[in-house]
Structures are given as structure tokens and as C-alpha cells.
Amino acid sequence: MTHILHRQIHATLPVAVGGRGIELFDESGKAYIDASGGAAVSCLGHGHPDVVAALQAQAERLAYAHTSFFTNEPAERLADRLIAGAPQGISHAYFVSGGSEANEAALKMARQYFVEKGEPQRRAIIARRQSYHGNTLGTLATGGNEWRRAPFKPLLIDTHHIDPCYAYRHQEAGESETAYGLRAAQALEDKILELGPETVMAFVAEPVVGATAGAVPAVAGYFRRIREICDRYGVLLLLDEVMCGMGRTGTMHACEQDGVAPDLMTIAKGLGGGYQPIGAVLLGQHIFDAFANGSGLFQHGHTYICHPMACAAALSVQEVIERDGLLANVRAMGGYLRGRLEARFGNHAHVGDIRGRGLFLGVELVADRSTKEPFDPARKLHALVKKEAMARGLMVYPAGGTIDGARGDHVLLAPPFIIDEPAADAIVERLGEAVDAATA
Ligand SMILES: Cc1ncc(COP(=O)(O)O)c(C=O)c1O
């Protein structure tokens, strides 16, 4: 008997009672390798002593001070650190409690920017199908995840969606990667022209699509072309790096590998590594200036913005990542893990694609490799893989609807940045058994 409204009312969940390094433990003492960081959150693993000590010290010093009265030291220091390492043009940070809040705030920043600039007719948001930007009404409307949107459609603001850059499914036979990238990006210009450039406010995209499609990076050149199109029509580029950012792909920001800088960027999950709920919007100097030279404020706010405990945890997580050189480990172990996945699944009858960047990897499952035909959605293969993996002491993050919100299955891997080769071997061994059992 529980009084919690859980995600799945009829499921019985094990009780997590502890965590150490890459493992979580339930109350029976069973250990699970956390090969997905929950939902790409736990980048430092569990129970990291430096973060625990930082949290303890902050709790003793100051747990909370409302931002209409005070600023606080951990928030100021975290902002300094993030801006020092931010993409070109990014000048300020706005701290919230998670990814949805970050995207909601970023959308409002985009809108207020144009109001301040005397272009109040700009209100259209263009995003991509097969994306996820959060579960609040504004971010749900922005995301292109059909099954998540469906029950709430009557409540959602009008938004516009183009196809994602998803080479495994959309690149045509005989089409080069470059040609495909340009064709995929052209959909944005076509949509802007259809709506009228003077009405378009922002284009929103995940540089590497996470939960909805399973670690799908864009092909080379796609985001450069997207940036050009946004610049040409004065449309703000909002990159959602809530899942793929903060080192997950082997560079601090995923967009570094695409050679672009956004006007607005959102980060969360790996920012605090799960030690506290935290997200942030990183905004460009031009957006800050429009507010500073206009109304003098950002007309928004929540009770817990710039929370000292959340900022202290994130500051400590980010200091450890830098001190221990963990981005180099993400690149090295990302390459190793991918190699092991390719060795185990490269010829597997039901694995169509292995993809991703760094320690952000996706395996797309298919009924037939040659036709790329997915499994019957009624089979809920993704749920079966999760169950089989949990039985073997492995946490992965599978989902269905990979192709179009209804069809397709994938498994997402996002292990902590601290993994080593034996851990990667164990992940692949257990996942191999789980996929074999689920597809048998
Ligand atoms: C890309 C992306 N954006 C936004 C969100 C929403 O973040 P949160 O669940 O912290 O509200 C998520 C969560 O999975 C995400 O993956």
C-alpha cells in the first residue's frame, strides 16, 4: 500500500535505499549498475564524498534565501563558472529546478526579448518532431513527442514542427550525409517562410535527441545551416541540452561538436548530477541587453530560483568533473563502450542502429534489420528490455515510439562519467542477455 501517485499505478517498484559509485542498491540488498544515470542524470555516480561534503557545509551555512531579498554565493560562483565555459556570446545564467522549468523560462525569455525590441508580432515557436522539451504546458506544446502530447492537446499553445535530423530513418539511399543534412535543415527555412519570418520567435532543438529517439546526433553541417537560417530571419536558436549537455557527449556542451553557439541554451540533469534538483537557462548578451536596456527585469520567477543548496551541489559536481579530468574519460569510455556494443550487437538480428556521442549512446531495436521494420508496438518491447535488464541488475533507459511517437523501440545508455572498462563490459554483457531474452 502506497500513498504516492507513482508513474505506473499498477507496477511494484523496488525501494532504493543506497548508492555508491556506479551502483544503486534496493532494500533486499540487490545491486544495479546505473547504466543510464536514471534518465541521464547521475553523471558522477552515487554518494560522491566531495558533493556530499559540499552539501553538508552549505546546509550548515545557508539553506535558503529568497531571490527578491538576496543573492547568494554558490549561485554567483556557479554562474561565473558556467559563463566562463559557455559557448560564444552567452553572458548570463538563470537557475531553476529542472529541465522543464529551464525550457519554459527560455521560451519566455525569447518572447520578452522581442517584446522589448518592439517586435511583439514574433510569437511562433518551431521545434522538431520526435523531441522532448518538458512536461509543463509550454514545453509540452513545444516538444514533438506525440504520445506525451495527445491527452493534453486541447490545452497546448499552437506550435510548429519539422522533421528531426535522423539519418537512420530519413537519409535516402544514395544521398550523401552532407546533402541529407542540408535537406533536413531546409525544412526550417521552408517553415519560417510559410509562417512569415516576421512572426517567428524561436527554433528549439536538442543537439543530440535524447529520450524520444534514443541518442540521435545530427549529421555534420546540419546545425551550421540551421544557425545560418536563424540568423538570416532573426529567429532565436534555443538549444535544449538538458539531457545531452554538461559533458555527456564528451565536450561540455554538445553543440561545440556541431560548431554552433545558440542564443539560448538550457541545461539540467548533469548540471547537478541528481544531488539536487537544478536546471538553468544560459542566455546571450543580446538578450540580457534587451532586458537591461528595456524593462530592466525578466518578468518571471519561482520560489526556488538560485537555490543555494542546489547551486552548491552543482558547483561541487562541476568542480569534481574538471578536477578529475572526467570529460577525457567520457570520450575514452564512450569510444570503448560503443566498440563493445558494436561487437555484441553489430550482427544482432534485432539491432538496426547503434549511435550517439560520448557516454550518450542509443541502440535501436527492429524486427527486421534489412527493411528496418520495427516490432509491433503492442508488444511493448522497450518495457520488456527494461524488465529483463532490471532482473539482471542493470538500469538502462528504453522507450517506444522511436520513429514517430507510436512505432519503434530503442535503449538509451548514459552511464556515469566515472565508469571504467570492466564496468562497460558488465553493462554490455547484461544488456546483451536482456535484449536476447526480450526479443526471443
Ligand atoms: C531534452 C530534455 N529537455 C527537457 C527535459 C525536462 O526536464 P525535467 O524532467 O527536469 O523537467 C528532459 C527530461 O528528460 C529532456 O530530456
Side-chain angles (χ1 to χ4, degrees):
M1 176 60 189
T2 175
H3 292 103
I4 297 175
L5 172 57
H6 286 288
R7 286 172 181 256
Q8 299 286 337
I9 291 172
H10 303 297
T12 308
L13 295 167
V15 181
V17 295
R20 178 80 25 206
I22 64 164
E23 288 185 321
L24 280 175
F25 309 103
D26 72 17
E27 62 182 345
S28 76
K30 181 173 174 179
Y32 304 80
I33 298 179
D34 187 358
S36 57
V41 172
S42 301
C43 57
L44 270 193
H46 302 276
H48 198 290
D50 296 67
V51 188
V52 172
L55 273 170
Q56 199 165 353
Q58 187 60 43
E60 283 168 11
R61 219 178 293 130
L62 172 72
Y64 178 70
H66 194 275
T67 46
S68 71
F69 300 88
F70 296 104
T71 184
N72 66 78
E73 193 199 340
E76 294 289 348
R77 285 179 57 205
L78 181 61
D80 290 347
R81 168 173 275 273
L82 291 174
I83 295 310
Q88 203 183 354
I90 299 288
S91 65
H92 288 77
Y94 186 85
F95 295 118
V96 292
S97 302
S100 302
E101 277 190 16
N103 281 320
E104 196 79 29
L107 291 170
K108 288 177 77 175
M109 284 182 199
R111 170 63 188 166
Q112 191 182 321
Y113 170 74
F114 286 116
V115 171
E116 304 271 14
K117 281 190 20 137
E119 296 181 66
Q121 75 286 358
R122 284 202 193 248
R123 63 187 188 90
I125 298 166
I126 305 174
R128 304 191 298 179
R129 284 183 269 281
Q130 293 309 96
S131 62
Y132 180 56
H133 299 300
N135 258 335
T136 57
L137 290 174
T139 59
L140 191 62
T142 301
N145 185 314
E146 277 314 311
W147 65 264
R148 289 188 201 257
R149 291 166 52 98
F152 304 102
K153 235 174 194 158
L155 307 185
L156 302 180
I157 55 166
D158 278 342
T159 53
H160 309 272
H161 293 94
I162 61 171
D163 274 341
C165 186
Y166 181 4
Y168 176 64
R169 291 284 169 190
H170 296 314
Q171 186 176 353
E172 285 169 3
E175 186 177 36
S176 73
E177 200 177 273
T178 310
Y180 168 57
L182 293 176
R183 177 167 66 83
Q186 187 55 40
L188 176 61
E189 185 165 39
D190 295 347
K191 183 57 80 179
I192 290 173
L193 292 172
E194 176 196 321
L195 296 171
E198 71 288 351
T199 68
V200 181
M201 176 176 100
F203 175 61
V204 187
E206 297 166 76
V208 182
V209 180
T212 315
V216 180
V219 299
Y222 171 81
F223 272 107
R224 279 213 182 82
R225 182 74 188 117
I226 289 286
R227 179 73 266 184
E228 281 169 13
I229 293 167
C230 287
D231 288 344
R232 177 157 188 203
Y233 298 103
V235 171
L236 296 177
L237 177 60
L238 192 178
L239 292 182
D240 177 347
E241 296 213 1
V242 165
M243 194 177 253
C244 64
M246 299 315 291
R248 175 59 53 202
T249 64
T251 49
M252 185 50 76
H253 304 296
C255 64
E256 290 171 40
Q257 294 174 54
D258 297 292
V260 296
D263 301 285
L264 292 155
M265 172 187 281
T266 49
I267 53 177
K269 300 175 183 278
L271 173 60
Y275 287 89
Q276 286 285 287
I278 183 165
V281 186
L282 303 181
L283 55 141
Q285 183 75 54
H286 50 307
I287 295 170
F288 177 82
D289 287 346
F291 296 177
N293 300 330
S295 61
L297 51 80
F298 172 41
Q299 196 175 315
H300 191 62
H302 296 290
T303 300
Y304 297 126
I305 59 175
C306 293
H307 196 285
M309 295 293 290
C311 293
L315 187 59
S316 176
V317 166
Q318 297 309 315
E319 283 171 352
V320 171
I321 288 172
E322 184 180 352
R323 183 196 69 196
D324 295 353
L326 290 179
L327 294 196
N329 200 53
V330 172
R331 293 190 286 272
M333 284 302 109
Y336 181 80
L337 181 57
R338 191 187 181 115
R340 293 308 311 259
L341 289 170
E342 279 163 1
R344 178 65 173 80
F345 294 116
N347 294 312
H348 195 285
H350 297 302
V351 172
D353 194 27
I354 299 167
R355 57 190 176 229
R357 288 183 189 163
L359 283 175
F360 197 39
L361 297 166
V363 174
E364 185 164 338
L365 302 170
V366 288
D368 184 325
R369 275 167 71 100
S370 55
T371 61
K372 302 185 182 177
E373 186 62 26
F375 280 91
D376 179 355
R379 188 164 165 178
K380 291 197 184 316
L381 182 69
H382 55 97
L384 218 51
V385 172
K386 183 171 179 179
K387 186 165 156 251
E388 294 288 352
M390 282 293 274
R392 290 167 175 79
L394 178 71
M395 292 163 60
V396 292
Y397 198 54
T402 312
I403 303 169
D404 54 12
R407 296 175 311 132
D409 299 271
H410 66 262
V411 180
L412 187 66
L413 295 174
F417 299 176
I418 55 173
I419 64 160
D420 55 13
E421 291 186 3
D425 293 345
I427 290 168
V428 174
E429 189 186 330
R430 293 182 197 185
L431 180 61
E433 287 175 12
V435 169
D436 286 347
T439 55

